[in-house]
Amino acid sequence: MPEEEPDTLTTEREHLAGSRAALARMRAHTESLEASGADHVSLQHVRQTLHRRMLSLQDDPSVPLFFGRLDYDTALGAEQDEVLYVGRRHVTGEVGGQPLVIDWRAAMSLPFYRARPGEPMGVRRRRRFGYDSGRMTAYEDESLAGAPGEDGGGSLASDIMEAEIERPRTGPMRDIVATIQPEQDVLVRADLSRSLCIQGAPGTGKTAVGLHRAAFLLYAFRQQLSRSGVLVVGPNDSFLSYIGDVLPALGEIDARQETVQSLVAGATGQQPRGTEPVAVAVLKGDARMAEVLARAVWSQLGTVEGPLVVPRGSRQFRVPAYRALELVAGLRERGVRYEAGRAMLPQRLAHEVLLRMEASGDSPDDRVQSAVARSAPVRACAKALWPAVDAPRLLHRLLTDEAFLAGCADGLLTAAEQQLLRPGRAPRSAGAMRWTAADLVLLDELADRLERTPSLGHVIVDEAQDLSAMQLRAVGRRASTGSVTLLGDLAQATTPWATSSWQDSLRHLGQPGAAVEELLAGFRVPGSVIEYAARLLPTIAPGLRAPHSIRRSRGDLRLVEGGLDAVVAAAAAALEREGTVGLITADASVPRVVAALAAAGVDHGVLGGDTQDALRHRLDVVPASLAKGLEFDHVVLLEPAELVAGEADEVTGLRRLYVCLTRAVTSLVVVHDAPLPAALG
């Protein structure tokens, strides 16, 4: 990094100040616009559009408006000599509409992430800026006009980039727009039509890649996605709270964020009120249940014994029973949803009546067919052949009627599995059912069998390795005509129904042709920590390659023997350092850890309770089940053996331990009384 040059920094700071002033003018101009529309609906649409535009133009003085600069040079193939500043959003000046800042997603920003000596992409110099609480403090230049050099052994070559990655965390997750690496950028900018599965080791930025991909797609395909929508699916509410500020910071507010549970609860109008044994939940998440439910739906079709008789004036027209049944079979062969077929059948029956009217010499028109379709005999026949189905009532019957379940599950589920599905004390009605989280996914599947679930333009699924086949189907049908980005790590699979193969997951998701990409270079987890955690990989995910850290800082790793007193001391010591602290413990030990901190007068929050209070403290007590996807500058991990023992089996427990060990950005302290798991060596 060059010595500080006051004139250069002053000039760059003036450009920053001018850009902020221009952004304020852009917001003020938007605020001054008066909405108008031809009707109430149009007026509300314009008002909503202006409101979203104003929100996207909000400025946070603590967040750099731009973080890089590109000096384009015609001698290197650029169309013209020009200087462009790369930032989080486009900012236009007052004179001639010249760009003061270009959006990081624009094509002209691409060299900031991918140019290198030997492949300058028209850029002579790339400049990075360093900031402290929004104030520009430094700059760093990189010449791209020379010959290719050494790659630095796979480590970061930029001091400013290293400092940004290692900058202490406060509050929710922040964007990585200033530090996106070339291999990440390729995934971020993949075309909307392309579905991806990203297998990412801890600290490789897979979650950030997914969120920045959402921001890129909303920028590059705005018109298409403004109609079809973007959905981000996370593992739990704490995780969504943690990532919630990333997209708004990038100027994007139109992506929905849901968990699978909130997604299906909203779609079915039900809330999970019951619990069930793990074995039952695993079976309900099995892909075979989709066919069981399909059989249950189509088993509702009925039959008729006699002909359909429709009186018209003094005459009667008859449609034989066999012909009515053929019409039902024809609709089935078309592959229509149940409700679509039910709506179409009266018209099919009416058409048969009209054919007989024409054969008798009449000349009926479309109005006559509509009248016949609405007639009592046709409606009664259609109802007998194709009755209405209510999803909750049908699932209640499937789970409580032994003979009905046996008929639907024949050849799919064993007798023992069928017995496992039936509740011990069967409620008499669907309204009395205490639906479980797994039941809601089955209800969502049934709802889709009845009526097609609307498809979104793009769906991003994080921690996807933990989803069951039926949960993946629930997510996948939201992108049946769109694309998906699947994010996860097989080594971090911790649910009893977790996947062991991305190919299987993609098949259940309805995207079997999606490419599987792998991220191994760690930017977040320091070397000493990731190498220690990687000792578990041969046991928990023998098919995966070990990740590596490209940070120059090795980080701090300490193993401390002791109990709660040692934990409190380690947490207090971590609080003396800059940044956030996560005290991760087995779920069962949260109350006693909280009590120990309170007794010692250590201020703390607890994740998993009030989500509004989550991540507001410098120290958070984190139940191990909620640690996935989070990161802290300093982590204190209590009793690995207890954490492992708290899971259904040893492998799942070791995977949970792997997750918890890899949450640290700077330091990790492992406190234990019991011997450490043998897999840690």
Side-chain angles (χ1 to χ4, degrees), residues 328-666:
V328 171
L331 287 172
R332 284 292 314 275
E333 289 172 0
R334 289 185 56 183
V336 299
R337 290 297 199 274
Y338 187 90
E339 284 300 312
R342 193 169 76 90
M344 295 165 68
L345 182 58
Q347 290 292 334
R348 294 292 195 276
L349 292 169
H351 180 68
E352 288 293 318
V353 173
L354 260 66
L355 291 177
R356 284 152 180 78
M357 293 174 67
E358 290 171 349
S360 69
D362 288 349
S363 300
D365 56 18
D366 290 345
R367 290 176 298 176
V368 174
Q369 179 169 331
S370 296
V372 171
R374 294 193 302 269
S375 67
V378 169
R379 286 191 287 111
C381 180
K383 182 177 180 180
L385 289 168
W386 208 302
V389 171
D390 177 75
R393 289 179 182 174
L394 184 59
L395 184 58
H396 170 263
R397 182 185 173 193
L398 187 69
L399 297 179
T400 59
D401 185 332
E402 183 176 0
F404 182 55
L405 175 59
C408 296
D410 182 40
L412 293 172
L413 304 180
T414 66
E417 288 175 323
Q418 294 175 35
Q419 183 61 37
L420 193 61
L421 283 177
R422 301 184 62 220
R425 297 179 60 184
R428 293 186 175 182
S429 68
M433 286 287 286
R434 295 181 61 83
W435 300 115
T436 66
D439 289 332
L440 264 58
V441 178
L442 299 184
L443 285 172
D444 191 70
E445 178 81 24
L446 278 175
D448 184 67
R449 295 286 178 173
L450 297 176
E451 295 186 81
R452 186 180 299 278
T453 302
S455 178
L456 298 164
H458 194 76
V459 177
I460 294 169
V461 193
D462 206 355
E463 304 298 346
Q465 75 280 346
D466 280 340
L467 298 184
S468 70
M470 294 301 289
Q471 288 174 323
L472 286 165
R473 287 177 60 86
V475 173
R477 55 180 156 265
R478 268 83 185 174
S480 58
T481 60
S483 53
V484 299
T485 299
L486 204 64
L487 309 164
D489 181 7
L490 295 178
Q492 298 184 59
T494 52
T495 58
W497 45 79
T499 187
S500 59
S501 163
W502 286 127
Q503 284 70 29
D504 287 346
S505 293
L506 289 167
R507 179 168 47 83
H508 297 313
L509 199 68
Q511 302 283 346
V516 179
E517 306 287 348
E518 191 171 13
L519 293 175
L520 290 171
F523 307 98
R524 174 176 56 79
V525 184
S528 61
V529 174
I530 195 63
E531 289 166 11
Y532 182 68
R535 297 179 184 181
L536 299 174
L537 286 178
T539 302
I540 63 176
L544 293 183
R545 291 183 291 167
H548 60 274
S549 176
I550 65 170
R551 289 170 50 181
R552 283 172 282 185
S553 170
R554 291 284 297 166
D556 301 329
L557 170 65
R558 289 195 300 128
L559 306 180
V560 176
E561 293 189 16
L564 283 179
D565 289 343
V567 169
V568 172
L575 285 171
E576 294 178 359
R577 305 175 67 175
E578 189 177 7
T580 56
V581 182
L583 199 168
I584 304 178
T585 180
D587 290 33
S589 292
V590 169
R592 64 190 187 96
V593 170
V594 167
L597 291 172
V602 178
D603 180 63
H604 62 279
V606 182
L607 293 191
D610 179 6
T611 56
Q612 297 299 316
D613 187 56
L615 302 163
R616 290 183 177 178
H617 303 265
R618 282 197 58 216
L619 168 64
D620 279 299
V621 177
V622 183
S625 62
L626 298 181
K628 191 172 296 181
L630 305 181
E631 60 182 34
F632 302 90
D633 290 288
H634 311 286
V635 168
V636 178
L637 177 61
L638 172 62
E639 213 59 80
E642 181 187 6
L643 191 153
V644 173
E647 299 296 333
D649 57 75
E650 184 182 21
V651 171
T652 302
L654 290 173
R655 286 175 175 168
R656 182 77 69 187
L657 176 59
Y658 181 75
V659 170
C660 296
L661 287 171
T662 53
R663 300 305 95 198
V665 177
T666 302

Side-chain angles (χ1 to χ4, degrees), residues 214-238:
F216 171 77
L217 293 176
L218 284 165
Y219 173 87
F221 303 91
R222 188 169 301 281
Q223 186 173 5
Q224 180 177 346
L225 291 178
S226 65
R227 297 190 304 269
S228 57
V230 172
L231 172 67
V232 178
V233 180
N236 52 58
D237 290 334
S238 294

